[in-house]
Amino acid sequence: MSMGSGSAMIAAVLILLFCLYSEMAHAATYTVGDAGGWTFNTAAWPKGKRFRACDTLVFNYSPGAHNVVTVDKAGYVNCRTPRGAKVYTSGNDQIKLARGQNYFICNFSGHCEAGTKIAINAL
Ligand SMILES: *[C@@H]1O[C@H](CO)[C@@H](O)[C@H](O)[C@H]1NC(C)=O
Ligand SMILES: [Cu+2]
């Protein structure tokens, strides 16, 4: 196992433990893109919303038409998939936000460039 995936696993466990506490108080669930779902031109969807750590994002899409990849800032800006990135493919992916910046793209060829990408700051 590489250092990268080891620390990613530890981070995932810490988020899980932290969220067990905060969930009782105040966790919200958001459907990315609202009725339109996770598709092209979704990059502006987070605008004007306030997200908190442990809120859940639901990504709805047709499997095979899109996917959801957890990336870093460079991956978001440049539409590149970092090594070891987590890939979701169910078409109904529920992902908890970590505190701070969270970046997601679809890494099908050209889709991120066409706005199938979101950046979210969770307080
Ligand atoms: C999407 O991400 C997966 C997992 O990292 C990778 O295997 C695949 O090559 C990526 N696709 C593109 C088009 O970058
Ligand atoms: Cu896509």
Side-chain angles (χ1 to χ4, degrees):
M1 182 190 294
S2 75
M3 272 233 311
S5 67
S7 56
M9 198 178 295
I10 290 167
V13 169
L14 288 177
I15 289 167
L16 203 73
L17 291 176
F18 173 77
C19 291
L20 283 179
Y21 281 104
S22 70
E23 210 135 81
M24 302 167 200
H26 59 64
T29 297
Y30 296 91
T31 299
V32 176
D34 300 311
W38 176 235
T39 184
F40 305 109
N41 302 312
T42 305
W45 172 81
K47 228 179 233 168
K49 299 181 179 64
R50 288 170 60 81
F51 299 92
R52 309 187 65 153
C54 301
D55 285 351
T56 299
L57 295 185
V58 180
F59 292 82
N60 290 321
Y61 57 93
S62 302
H66 296 291
N67 66 9
V68 181
V69 184
T70 305
V71 300
D72 53 13
K73 182 173 189 181
Y76 173 83
V77 171
N78 301 313
C79 291
R80 295 273 185 282
T81 304
R83 193 196 307 267
K86 195 163 172 50
V87 182
Y88 299 84
T89 58
S90 78
N92 179 247
D93 306 315
Q94 318 224 345
I95 304 176
K96 279 186 196 305
L97 292 173
R99 188 177 298 281
Q101 293 292 338
N102 296 255
Y103 300 98
F104 305 96
I105 67 172
C106 170
N107 89 341
F108 281 34
S109 185
H111 288 202
C112 170
E113 289 84 348
T116 317
K117 62 193 292 194
I118 52 170
I120 287 177
N121 184 31
L123 304 175

